[in-house]
Amino acid sequence: MNVMFFLYLCSQNCFFMKKKFETPQCETCGAKHKSIFCDISKSEVSELNDSKGCNLYNKGQVVFHEGNRTNGIYCVNKGKIKLFQIGSEGKEQIIRFAKEGDIIGYRALLSDEPLSASATSLEEDTAICFIPKQQVLKMITENPNFNFKLLKILSHELGETAKIITDLAQKPVRERLAETLLILKDTFELDDEKNIQVKLSREELANIVGTATESVIRLLSEFKKDKLISLDGRTIKLLNIPALTRTANVFD
């Protein structure tokens, strides 16, 4: 056998061994307590586990495309997801994020409409489970508590969408960026050093705020100069949350 070909085969085998994926079990899922499925019965957990399928995604890999149909919902077992729409000029607008325990794709399923956004993974080895429509509808029909939680999530998403529209129409870019950093803090939390636990490019931040990448770069430098934040590549540390909140012009 050709030596180079043998080395190539070895490298491929090592790659697949490293990427070996064990399907998460609903009974022992580490994200279960954060999800809509946290209070379902043992029999429902068993049915859920038997009906679902799971996949592993690389960073930047597409989970689903805007405009496609879905025949189930997705539950994030591990990792972080961004959901976005593409505007008329081809520009990406990030509308929200999902993390461990969150479900995505449910609005399109329940409304029997095409998916209104695309979803991609923000991290390596992101694990996502797919729950088929029949199982979701069965739980909605038989479990009033699950049904109520799903309605609550839908209502919250509707309110957040309305807020995004208002902010984009009325708030200055500086306020929108400060509010975005606070939203990222609340969504992904801070580590012990007060770093936001998600790493986004300047372009991705601009796609949340709804502005040019250059504007985000300039404003981040201003926030750093004002000692609101510190920057280390894509890592953002929040130094003065009260001052950042005032800059964002948000109040409880």
Side-chain angles (χ1 to χ4, degrees):
M1 181 184 291
N2 183 282
V3 174
M4 294 301 295
F5 182 64
F6 175 76
L7 291 173
Y8 169 77
L9 288 177
C10 289
S11 68
Q12 293 301 300
N13 286 335
C14 289
F15 172 79
F16 286 116
M17 285 176 66
K18 188 172 71 172
K19 287 290 184 179
K20 185 177 180 181
F21 175 56
E22 293 186 7
T23 301
Q25 300 300 304
C26 294
E27 294 88 349
T28 56
C29 176
K32 181 183 172 185
H33 69 284
K34 303 177 184 178
S35 79
I36 192 172
F37 306 107
C38 61
D39 293 326
I40 62 176
S41 67
K42 288 184 177 181
S43 61
E44 287 174 319
V45 170
S46 180
E47 287 181 8
L48 189 66
N49 191 67
D50 291 341
S51 66
K52 77 178 190 316
C54 299
N55 284 309
L56 197 65
Y57 295 83
N58 295 322
K59 183 177 180 180
Q61 189 172 353
V62 175
V63 180
F64 54 73
H65 286 283
E66 177 182 356
N68 286 354
R69 293 275 178 175
T70 183
N71 196 35
I73 64 174
Y74 301 79
C75 184
V76 183
N77 170 261
K78 175 188 174 187
K80 301 176 178 68
I81 304 293
K82 70 174 180 180
L83 291 99
F84 62 93
Q85 296 175 334
I86 300 297
S88 57
E89 298 180 357
K91 184 176 175 61
E92 183 180 292
Q93 175 67 52
I94 296 176
I95 55 175
R96 71 184 184 93
F97 296 93
K99 59 184 185 304
E100 293 178 1
D102 290 343
I103 57 171
I104 54 178
Y106 52 87
R107 194 204 63 80
L109 178 72
L110 296 176
S111 63
D112 195 25
E113 295 175 349
L115 290 156
S116 60
S118 298
T120 60
S121 169
L122 287 170
E123 296 180 340
E124 290 294 330
D125 298 334
T126 293
I128 302 177
C129 297
F130 180 79
I131 303 160
K133 180 178 181 178
Q134 297 90 327
Q135 182 63 33
V136 177
L137 295 181
K138 184 175 186 293
M139 294 178 69
I140 289 174
T141 303
E142 298 178 359
N143 189 329
N145 188 43
F146 176 82
N147 198 2
F148 174 76
K149 286 185 176 182
L150 192 57
L151 286 172
K152 188 175 180 179
I153 291 174
L154 283 166
S155 299
H156 177 75
E157 183 181 335
L158 182 61
E160 289 298 303
T161 301
K163 189 176 186 305
I164 289 171
I165 293 171
T166 302
D167 285 352
L168 288 174
Q170 298 181 4
K171 274 195 168 186
V173 176
R174 181 180 174 87
E175 291 184 12
R176 297 207 304 267
L177 178 57
E179 185 173 0
T180 293
L181 296 180
L182 294 172
I183 290 172
L184 292 175
K185 171 186 74 72
D186 292 339
T187 302
F188 298 112
E189 302 180 344
L190 304 178
D191 63 19
D192 293 339
E193 296 181 353
K194 296 186 177 180
N195 297 313
I196 299 175
Q197 295 192 79
V198 65
K199 295 182 180 181
L200 301 174
S201 68
R202 303 299 187 254
E203 183 180 5
E204 286 173 322
L205 286 172
N207 291 341
I208 304 170
V209 176
T211 189
T213 304
E214 294 77 11
S215 297
V216 164
I217 293 172
R218 174 178 55 80
L219 286 170
L220 286 174
S221 296
E222 290 181 8
F223 288 177
K224 181 179 178 181
K225 183 179 179 182
D226 294 340
K227 293 183 169 50
L228 301 178
I229 65 172
S230 68
L231 302 170
D232 182 11
R234 294 188 179 189
T235 300
I236 301 176
K237 178 184 290 188
L238 303 189
L239 300 177
N240 192 335
I241 294 175
L244 194 64
T245 303
R246 290 192 295 272
T247 300
N249 194 24
V250 293
F251 306 95
D252 292 333

